[in-house]
Amino acid sequence: MSIFSEVGPIKYEGPESTNDFAYKVYDKDRVVLGKKLSEWLRLTVCYWHSFAAGGMDMFGGDTWPRPWKDGPNTQEAANAKTDAAFDFFQRMGTPYFAFHDVDAMAQADTLEEHDRALKTIEARIAKRMSETGVKLLWGTANLFGHPRFMAGASTNPNPEVFAYAAAQVKMIMETTHRLGGENYVLWGGREGYDTLLNTDLKAELAHFGRFLNMVVEHKHKIGFKGTILIEPKPFEPTKHQYDRDVSTVFGFLQKNGLEKEVKVNIEVNHATLANLDFEHEVATAYALGIMGSLDINRGDPRSGWDTDQFPNNAQDLSVAFLSILENGGLGTGGCNFDAKLRRQSIDINDLYIAHITGIDTLARAVLSAESVIKQKKLATLKAARYAGWETPFGKEIAEGKYTLAQLADVAVKKGLDPEPVSGKQELFESIVAQNQKV
Ligand code: XUL
Ligand code: CO
């Protein structure tokens, strides 16, 4: 028995169901464009918001009932948390989880203790994984919570902090590997600055590059076959994070020769904070060949904070899912609910409702995208818009047949005077709107 045991396994009951504890849209075996919904989404529950956190904010302490947080973070408490988490995963029917080292393990005050406590909880997690069949989407190190990391981890002015971070990453990457994790994530929690005045930006970027090279080298050394992912975010907690968005990360990877080794974990609300659309980040990652995984949540349109709310509006996500379906899916990635309950949501059932609605929202987005693709209208209109590039003249330009001067010559000789054509934005938008699945 755990605090989550009151609710029975969540089942698909269809759109007519009025049961709060049932999926209305997420029918995991439903086949969409040749793949099951469960295979498109690879649903993941995160450890940190749902089990390690307690609802505290800047103005007040924990509010959520999480019995393992009532006292110190002992091994017993860590064990109870693990058991409750796996009970929840199993009842939700979600196939994956994701965690930071410190989310799961008991308190450790030295690196030696850290190693021991991590291995102890790893053994329990491994047992629960084999009992339940729940798999690990990704592991990561928390390199931002402890005061030693207040000026960054790999970008810290002090190389001893860099070394400490290296030790922590080595340990959790090996744990992730032993647990069969499918990815390893690096979110640059404090890899950035609060003021440029005290910051050697050039040196910090070089150290960050060195760190990432070491991570990739170790991945190959231990034979980890998962994908290394960087999670972009523009700011918060620092004023400026070096991994501000997908394009910036790509430039950083290229500079360090790692664009074939590392991909991105795109978070919905991190895109919003960067003043970008989520679908822009997804499309950019596919275009650059670095699409990895997704952290699913939403922000509040007015607060400008990283509110990490559960999603409930499928249309917000359906354009991104159009890209995902057109590109064949997420590979080793998945949809991780990096989302948390509101502080007043203190009923245990609130965690179920939040995830169920989030999952149905993702399923609706996939079904809307499927409907747009099957209708073929959008793809046809888009192809027509670019049809000129399929003509011999278009192909010659794209393939580099002309220099600038030669092309200028051709343009003058042909007396080119191309007619403007409508971009049909409203028509494209109406196709997406009309294909929403309610
Ligand atoms: C913070 C955030 C993290 C990462 C993992 O904004 O998204 O939880 O996903 O470190
Ligand atoms: Co995240």
Side-chain angles (χ1 to χ4, degrees), residues 231 265 267 270 295 338:
E231 183 174 323
N265 181 38
E267 180 161 324
H270 293 180
D295 269 9
D338 191 351

Side-chain angles (χ1 to χ4, degrees), residues 24 41 110 149 163 165 191-192 200 204 281 284 291 324 335 340 347 362 388 408:
K24 321 288 186 301
L41 291 174
T110 64
F149 296 122
E191 311 294 29
D200 185 341
E204 291 199 2
E281 290 291 77
T284 303
M291 182 63 211
I324 293 165
C335 292
K340 66 180 176 212
D347 294 345
L362 288 176

